[in-house]
Amino acid sequence: MLLAIDCGNTNTVFAVYDGEDKRCEWRAASKSGRTADEMGVWLNQLMTMKGLEPSDITDTIIASVVPSAVYDLRLLCHRYFSAPPLVVGDPDVDLGLEILVDRPEEVGADRLVNTVAAHVTYPGALIVLDFGTATTFDVVDADGNYCGGVIAPGVNLSLEALHMAAAQLPRVAVGRPKSVIGKATVPAMRSGIYLGYVSMIEGLTARIQAEFGEPMSVVATGGLASLFTEATDVIHHLDNDLTLRGLREIHRRNAARRAPTPETT
């Protein structure tokens, strides 16, 4: 079985795959300083509840946008599962795509993993819209290459900044407003955030397609993707498992590449 780990700025997702089937998935806050032993004890308890043993894990793969977390995630895979991980971004990990930007080393691992998954799932040129700590728009050409994108503040980050910077504005949860014009502070804030982001999504996807010069499908993923997909018809596909499927696909490609041939066995 494969243990896939997606470490983001807000949450870290652990998923166990048995071939093509996802057996389990768990989330933990991406707290700074969390050790391999802490994660190992927590994860082993959750696996036991699902009838799994550490020895069931034969392979591991990691994508992380938190550099300080990679050491302990590597150690977790070695110490608790005896399965040295593939780490997206390492030179020996083949993603099967070209990174067509000025500084390829600066592209987040999650964005590349999403690119891989989106290309094998959906035909043609794509915009991958990820609602995470940041809201990102990633451009994928018809050959599956990463062509760049747009980074905007995440929805919850914007709400928190609004609350912190303005003394009279409360902390509110993101939600679809009943009307555009708010008749009180909280409805006005919800309208500004929610419909403001809908307008940003519609405007940026239109500008990206105009600049790219060909029709593109828009794939949405991330925690708030479903909330915004219902508000606009520019999003064609909602895919909350995109990153995890990308990790599974990258592992599959590299496992096939590293498998011994009859001549070498």
Side-chain angles (χ1 to χ4, degrees):
M1 293 185 185
L2 171 67
L3 174 64
I5 304 173
D6 170 26
C7 180
N9 288 297
T10 303
N11 292 312
T12 300
V13 182
F14 301 82
V16 174
Y17 279 93
D18 186 358
E20 298 291 307
D21 299 324
K22 184 171 66 173
R23 287 280 303 272
C24 312
E25 178 182 330
W26 306 281
R27 291 176 179 267
S30 298
K31 294 181 180 178
S32 177
R34 191 188 295 270
T35 68
D37 293 329
E38 289 176 299
M39 290 185 287
V41 170
W42 173 80
L43 192 55
N44 280 339
Q45 289 177 333
L46 291 171
M47 290 177 63
T48 299
M49 294 171 63
K50 293 293 185 178
L52 297 173
E53 298 293 335
S55 58
D56 293 328
I57 303 300
T58 57
D59 299 277
T60 58
I61 185 169
I62 299 168
S64 176
V65 297
V66 185
S68 61
V70 174
Y71 173 81
D72 280 295
L73 289 172
R74 285 184 188 269
L75 187 58
L76 167 73
C77 296
H78 280 278
R79 180 175 292 173
Y80 286 88
F81 303 103
S82 301
L86 291 173
V87 179
V88 177
D90 281 359
D92 62 336
V93 176
D94 179 22
L95 302 181
L97 56 81
E98 292 187 56
I99 308 173
L100 305 177
V101 298
D102 295 337
R103 297 182 180 274
E105 70 279 2
E106 294 181 357
V107 182
D110 56 340
R111 303 174 78 181
L112 297 176
V113 172
N114 285 346
T115 295
V116 170
H119 177 64
V120 300
T121 308
Y122 308 101
L126 304 167
I127 299 171
V128 180
L129 174 55
D130 191 348
F131 293 89
T133 305
T135 299
T136 57
F137 300 72
D138 292 313
V139 176
V140 185
D141 68 18
D143 294 322
N145 300 314
Y146 180 82
C147 301
V150 176
I151 303 174
V155 180
N156 287 321
L157 189 63
S158 295
L159 276 169
E160 187 64 18
L162 198 60
H163 165 68
M164 294 295 292
Q168 291 187 297
L169 296 183
R171 182 181 282 110
V172 300
V174 63
R176 189 169 187 172
K178 295 180 180 179
S179 61
V180 177
I181 302 171
K183 299 295 187 179
T185 299
V186 170
M189 291 175 66
R190 284 189 174 142
S191 179
I193 290 292
Y194 186 85
L195 296 177
Y197 268 84
V198 170
S199 297
M200 180 184 74
I201 291 164
E202 293 173 342
L204 281 176
T205 54
R207 288 174 180 270
I208 290 169
Q209 292 187 66
E211 186 171 298
F212 198 71
E214 61 181 272
M216 308 175 79
S217 295
V218 180
V219 182
T221 191
L224 293 174
S226 59
L227 182 62
F228 286 91
T229 298
E230 67 184 26
T232 177
D233 58 5
V234 303
I235 297 174
H236 304 107
H237 308 284
L238 173 63
D239 194 334
N240 286 320
D241 277 341
L242 195 68
T243 308
L244 292 174
R245 285 208 323 280
L247 285 172
R248 188 192 66 196
E249 174 64 18
I250 292 168
H251 172 265
R252 186 192 65 78
R253 293 179 181 181
N254 284 267
R257 183 168 60 91
R258 296 180 180 189
T261 62
E263 291 78 11
T264 60
T265 56

